[in-house]
Amino acid sequence: MSSPALYSQHDNIALITLNAPPVNGLGQALRSAIKAAFEIAKSNAEIDAIVIASSGKLFCGGADIAEFAAGGFHTEPMLPGLLTELENSPKPIIAAVNGMALGGGFELALACDYRMALPSAKCGLPEVNIGILPGAGGTQRLPRLIGAEMATQMVTSGTAVAAQKLLEAGAIDRIFDGEPSAFVDAAIDYARELIAQNAPCKTCADLSVEHPGEAFFTEFRKSIARKTRGFFAPEKNIQCIEAACELPLAEGLEKETELFQECMQTPHARAQQHIFFAERAATKIPGVDPKTPLRPIKTVGIIGAGTMGGGIAMNFANVGIPVTLLEVKADALERGLAVIRNNYEISAKKGRLTDAQVEERMGLIQGSLDYADLAEVDIVIEAVFENMDIKKQVFAQLDKTCKAGAILATNTSTLDVDEIAAATSRPNDVIGLHFFSPANVMRLLEIVRGAQTANDVLMTTIKMAQRIRKMPVVAGVCWGFIGNRGLEPYGREASRLVLEGASPEQIDRVLYDWGLAMGLPSMIDLAGIDVGYLTRQGNRDMFYGRDPSYTAVCDKLYDQGHYGQKTGTGFYIYEGRDKRRNPEVSQLAQALAAEHGVEQRDISDQEILERCLFPLINEGAQILDEGIAYRASDIDVIYCNGYGFPVYRGGPMQYADEIGLDTVVQALETYQNELGGYGQTWFQVSPLLKRLASEGKSFKQYDAEQAS
């Protein structure tokens, strides 16, 4: 087994090659190997300079954050100390940055005296995305090279920056425009050139940062306040840059370490790191070989040119995959294509696309009124009205039309995929692909695995999702799958709380302040009160078979023609996107409460929060117990990517782990007793949740046990 860092000598130049695939993660083994190689080079009198390069396609992906949970990043040699040793080297060190240098990888390059890069290389400090800050000198060395303003932007956004821009800013010293295969040799030649010039060792300790003034930091905080609402790490990253402006390097590094430790101890960091790993776990399907041969996806058919179908089409055109967009009427097709073009032209006006790119993407989307045009496509995605009879008719037609081996996908959000598949003679080719609206924007793709869905169909759609830049999560078949099934009790309690006396404004405020993108009454108005009502009519036993009092307010608003934003009235009164209180809602709720025998009362913020979130957690446990979700973390990925759940809470299941499952169970049992028949009906605790709580376990432990 080769060393994670290879050492070789090229006359008077030592070459240390990072060799820990796939990303050269700076775990303890690689850190130790770098240190050992550096000591050899430092002590060898024949060596005049050192080059650090990579054997892979990227330079270094940064710290191994899997060590964080195990405390391994405290194992010597620790990265901050190692980088200080490299920075204080008596012999110049050149970083040969051939690809991505992220986090600790960029910090490694910053600790070197000189940096040479390929034009395609990018560097960044993305630690803010996992709830922390660069803890190995990044916040102190980077502003000394590129200035406080650009450094502040980089550490708070986590965005990787191209080598050319970093050359202009001062973080890269040279770009090599030759063949990438000759890059390491060129870096060695650059080292010889520096030696010939008697180029000095350069330490960031000799550099200072020009303070941009307090006004800059004040305005910058205001500019990111909305985007970073509720997060802990962005502010600490800013404080680190401020320290770099005010303190010498050694003291600045001490401040960085102090603030790094503060971040690491927060629930925000635990939550963000949980989601980081959860998104990577979501594509691993128990019992399915990840090397399963995939079906080719070279052409796509989409049925329905409405908002959803058009948005789905854009996803494929954006990555160069030709699309045939089918409609039954010419005017509907023309409208759909016009909306797609308008969306692209808006992007062009904002500078996100060129006019040529707009035409290129539109050229990949061909309209059709004939099913025969779908005969040779590799996958068809049906995006028609959410009605079982209509969908079954579509799939029966696809069964007759599409070639053998074509994947037949339905974009249903709630319906039984197995029943849809039964309308064909090839249920193994059928799968659910639940895109979220707007489909060309939302990252989540809920993939619904039918009882007979073939493994290669499942794995092909997972890879396809990644290709079109979606976050795929696999769910089993049930009403609403994972996302909408869990959303039902979440929305149910918001509606019931209005009936009991809480105002929509109070509910929205509590949920927004907790971190949600919007409160539930606002979300119901946005989605459309009519949409919820029609969904309930299609599933009357489910929604009205037990205590249906929670539907009373929304049903009455529907009866009065108040559908939310689209009609200008709902829980709120709307003028454009601006909203104000609708005084009729409280009067309506009061009358309906009397009709249903519900006593209105003052409701605390804590009760609102618990009654909205805890039933969602409880339903998540039931979804998990039934095997609809493979992992609790999959549920978290769905809510953070599709439903505006704050990433710094980590999703509902991670939040439950953070506060303790026993806390959730006790609250559910309290409401079960306090809310009479309604409580007895809707607050029964999931057996899995109750068992885990009684055993003092977490959902994270449950996932680990299931995986072992």
Short mmCIF file of all heavy atoms in Angstrom, two decimals, residues 20-50:
data_model
loop_
_atom_site.label_atom_id
_atom_site.label_comp_id
_atom_site.label_asym_id
_atom_site.label_seq_id
_atom_site.Cartn_x
_atom_site.Cartn_y
_atom_site.Cartn_z
N ALA A 20 -3.60 10.56 -1.70
CA ALA A 20 -4.64 9.95 -0.87
C ALA A 20 -5.98 10.10 -1.57
O ALA A 20 -6.79 10.97 -1.22
CB ALA A 20 -4.67 10.60 0.51
N PRO A 21 -6.23 9.29 -2.62
CA PRO A 21 -7.48 9.42 -3.36
C PRO A 21 -8.68 9.10 -2.48
O PRO A 21 -8.53 8.41 -1.47
CB PRO A 21 -7.30 8.37 -4.49
CG PRO A 21 -6.31 7.38 -3.96
CD PRO A 21 -5.39 8.17 -3.08
N PRO A 22 -9.89 9.60 -2.83
CA PRO A 22 -10.14 10.31 -4.09
C PRO A 22 -9.91 11.81 -4.04
O PRO A 22 -9.79 12.44 -5.07
CB PRO A 22 -11.62 10.01 -4.35
CG PRO A 22 -12.21 9.89 -2.98
CD PRO A 22 -11.15 9.25 -2.13
N VAL A 23 -9.82 12.39 -2.83
CA VAL A 23 -9.77 13.86 -2.77
C VAL A 23 -8.58 14.40 -1.97
O VAL A 23 -8.51 15.59 -1.70
CB VAL A 23 -11.08 14.44 -2.17
CG1 VAL A 23 -12.27 14.08 -3.04
CG2 VAL A 23 -11.31 13.97 -0.74
N ASN A 24 -7.62 13.52 -1.62
CA ASN A 24 -6.51 13.97 -0.78
C ASN A 24 -6.99 14.63 0.50
O ASN A 24 -6.52 15.70 0.90
CB ASN A 24 -5.59 14.92 -1.55
CG ASN A 24 -4.77 14.22 -2.62
OD1 ASN A 24 -4.43 13.05 -2.48
ND2 ASN A 24 -4.48 14.91 -3.70
N GLY A 25 -7.98 14.00 1.15
CA GLY A 25 -8.48 14.53 2.41
C GLY A 25 -7.39 14.53 3.47
O GLY A 25 -6.65 13.55 3.63
N LEU A 26 -7.30 15.64 4.20
CA LEU A 26 -6.20 15.83 5.14
C LEU A 26 -6.46 15.15 6.49
O LEU A 26 -6.44 15.78 7.54
CB LEU A 26 -5.94 17.33 5.33
CG LEU A 26 -5.28 18.00 4.12
CD1 LEU A 26 -5.42 19.52 4.20
CD2 LEU A 26 -3.80 17.62 4.03
N GLY A 27 -6.70 13.85 6.43
CA GLY A 27 -6.82 13.07 7.64
C GLY A 27 -5.45 12.87 8.29
O GLY A 27 -4.41 13.29 7.76
N GLN A 28 -5.45 12.20 9.42
CA GLN A 28 -4.21 12.04 10.19
C GLN A 28 -3.11 11.36 9.38
O GLN A 28 -1.94 11.74 9.46
CB GLN A 28 -4.50 11.26 11.48
CG GLN A 28 -3.40 11.34 12.53
CD GLN A 28 -2.34 10.27 12.34
OE1 GLN A 28 -2.60 9.24 11.72
NE2 GLN A 28 -1.15 10.51 12.91
N ALA A 29 -3.47 10.38 8.56
CA ALA A 29 -2.47 9.64 7.79
C ALA A 29 -1.77 10.55 6.80
O ALA A 29 -0.53 10.53 6.67
CB ALA A 29 -3.11 8.46 7.08
N LEU A 30 -2.52 11.37 6.07
CA LEU A 30 -1.91 12.27 5.10
C LEU A 30 -1.13 13.37 5.80
O LEU A 30 -0.03 13.73 5.36
CB LEU A 30 -2.98 12.88 4.18
CG LEU A 30 -2.46 13.84 3.10
CD1 LEU A 30 -1.37 13.20 2.26
CD2 LEU A 30 -3.61 14.32 2.20
N ARG A 31 -1.66 13.89 6.90
CA ARG A 31 -0.91 14.92 7.63
C ARG A 31 0.44 14.38 8.09
O ARG A 31 1.47 15.05 7.96
CB ARG A 31 -1.72 15.40 8.84
CG ARG A 31 -3.05 16.07 8.50
CD ARG A 31 -3.61 16.87 9.67
NE ARG A 31 -3.81 16.10 10.87
CZ ARG A 31 -4.93 15.45 11.19
NH1 ARG A 31 -5.96 15.46 10.34
NH2 ARG A 31 -5.04 14.79 12.34
N SER A 32 0.44 13.18 8.62
CA SER A 32 1.69 12.57 9.10
C SER A 32 2.66 12.36 7.95
O SER A 32 3.88 12.58 8.09
CB SER A 32 1.40 11.24 9.79
OG SER A 32 0.64 11.43 10.96
N ALA A 33 2.13 11.92 6.80
CA ALA A 33 2.99 11.67 5.65
C ALA A 33 3.59 12.97 5.11
O ALA A 33 4.77 13.00 4.71
CB ALA A 33 2.20 10.95 4.56
N ILE A 34 2.81 14.05 5.09
CA ILE A 34 3.34 15.35 4.65
C ILE A 34 4.45 15.80 5.59
O ILE A 34 5.52 16.26 5.16
CB ILE A 34 2.22 16.41 4.60
CG1 ILE A 34 1.20 16.07 3.50
CG2 ILE A 34 2.80 17.80 4.37
CD1 ILE A 34 -0.04 16.95 3.52
N LYS A 35 4.20 15.67 6.89
CA LYS A 35 5.19 16.09 7.88
C LYS A 35 6.49 15.29 7.73
O LYS A 35 7.59 15.86 7.74
CB LYS A 35 4.64 15.92 9.29
CG LYS A 35 5.60 16.34 10.40
CD LYS A 35 4.96 16.20 11.77
CE LYS A 35 5.97 16.50 12.89
NZ LYS A 35 6.40 17.91 12.86
N ALA A 36 6.37 13.97 7.54
CA ALA A 36 7.56 13.13 7.41
C ALA A 36 8.35 13.50 6.16
O ALA A 36 9.59 13.61 6.20
CB ALA A 36 7.14 11.66 7.37
N ALA A 37 7.65 13.72 5.04
CA ALA A 37 8.33 14.09 3.81
C ALA A 37 8.99 15.46 3.94
O ALA A 37 10.12 15.68 3.46
CB ALA A 37 7.33 14.09 2.65
N PHE A 38 8.31 16.39 4.59
CA PHE A 38 8.87 17.72 4.79
C PHE A 38 10.14 17.66 5.64
O PHE A 38 11.13 18.34 5.34
CB PHE A 38 7.83 18.62 5.46
CG PHE A 38 8.37 19.95 5.92
CD1 PHE A 38 8.84 20.88 5.01
CD2 PHE A 38 8.43 20.27 7.27
CE1 PHE A 38 9.34 22.11 5.43
CE2 PHE A 38 8.93 21.48 7.71
CZ PHE A 38 9.40 22.41 6.78
N GLU A 39 10.13 16.85 6.67
CA GLU A 39 11.32 16.72 7.54
C GLU A 39 12.50 16.18 6.75
O GLU A 39 13.64 16.61 6.94
CB GLU A 39 11.01 15.80 8.72
CG GLU A 39 9.99 16.36 9.72
CD GLU A 39 10.47 17.62 10.43
OE1 GLU A 39 11.69 17.88 10.44
OE2 GLU A 39 9.61 18.34 10.97
N ILE A 40 12.25 15.22 5.84
CA ILE A 40 13.33 14.69 5.00
C ILE A 40 13.91 15.79 4.14
O ILE A 40 15.13 15.97 4.05
CB ILE A 40 12.80 13.53 4.12
CG1 ILE A 40 12.42 12.33 4.99
CG2 ILE A 40 13.85 13.12 3.08
CD1 ILE A 40 11.70 11.24 4.22
N ALA A 41 13.01 16.56 3.48
CA ALA A 41 13.47 17.62 2.59
C ALA A 41 14.21 18.72 3.36
O ALA A 41 15.24 19.24 2.91
CB ALA A 41 12.29 18.21 1.84
N LYS A 42 13.69 19.07 4.52
CA LYS A 42 14.29 20.15 5.30
C LYS A 42 15.69 19.79 5.77
O LYS A 42 16.59 20.64 5.81
CB LYS A 42 13.39 20.46 6.50
CG LYS A 42 13.84 21.68 7.31
CD LYS A 42 12.82 22.09 8.36
CE LYS A 42 12.73 21.07 9.48
NZ LYS A 42 11.92 21.60 10.62
N SER A 43 15.88 18.53 6.13
CA SER A 43 17.17 18.10 6.69
C SER A 43 18.19 17.72 5.63
O SER A 43 19.36 17.49 5.94
CB SER A 43 16.96 16.93 7.64
OG SER A 43 16.42 15.81 6.94
N ASN A 44 17.78 17.63 4.37
CA ASN A 44 18.69 17.24 3.29
C ASN A 44 19.38 18.48 2.74
O ASN A 44 18.75 19.34 2.13
CB ASN A 44 17.89 16.53 2.20
CG ASN A 44 18.78 15.95 1.11
OD1 ASN A 44 19.93 16.33 0.95
ND2 ASN A 44 18.21 15.01 0.33
N ALA A 45 20.68 18.54 2.90
CA ALA A 45 21.45 19.71 2.47
C ALA A 45 21.43 19.90 0.97
O ALA A 45 21.70 21.00 0.47
CB ALA A 45 22.89 19.60 2.97
N GLU A 46 21.13 18.84 0.21
CA GLU A 46 21.10 18.95 -1.24
C GLU A 46 19.83 19.65 -1.74
O GLU A 46 19.78 20.09 -2.89
CB GLU A 46 21.16 17.55 -1.87
CG GLU A 46 22.46 16.81 -1.58
CD GLU A 46 22.44 15.42 -2.22
OE1 GLU A 46 21.42 15.06 -2.84
OE2 GLU A 46 23.46 14.71 -2.09
N ILE A 47 18.84 19.73 -0.90
CA ILE A 47 17.55 20.28 -1.31
C ILE A 47 17.52 21.78 -1.07
O ILE A 47 17.78 22.26 0.05
CB ILE A 47 16.39 19.60 -0.54
CG1 ILE A 47 16.33 18.11 -0.87
CG2 ILE A 47 15.05 20.28 -0.86
CD1 ILE A 47 16.09 17.81 -2.33
N ASP A 48 17.16 22.53 -2.11
CA ASP A 48 17.06 23.98 -2.00
C ASP A 48 15.62 24.49 -1.98
O ASP A 48 15.36 25.62 -1.54
CB ASP A 48 17.80 24.64 -3.18
CG ASP A 48 19.30 24.39 -3.13
OD1 ASP A 48 19.85 24.42 -2.00
OD2 ASP A 48 19.89 24.15 -4.18
N ALA A 49 14.69 23.68 -2.48
CA ALA A 49 13.28 24.10 -2.51
C ALA A 49 12.40 22.85 -2.54
O ALA A 49 12.85 21.75 -2.87
CB ALA A 49 12.98 25.00 -3.70
N ILE A 50 11.14 23.06 -2.20
CA ILE A 50 10.18 21.95 -2.09
C ILE A 50 8.94 22.30 -2.91
O ILE A 50 8.44 23.42 -2.86
CB ILE A 50 9.77 21.73 -0.61
CG1 ILE A 50 11.00 21.45 0.26
CG2 ILE A 50 8.75 20.59 -0.49
CD1 ILE A 50 10.74 21.58 1.75
#
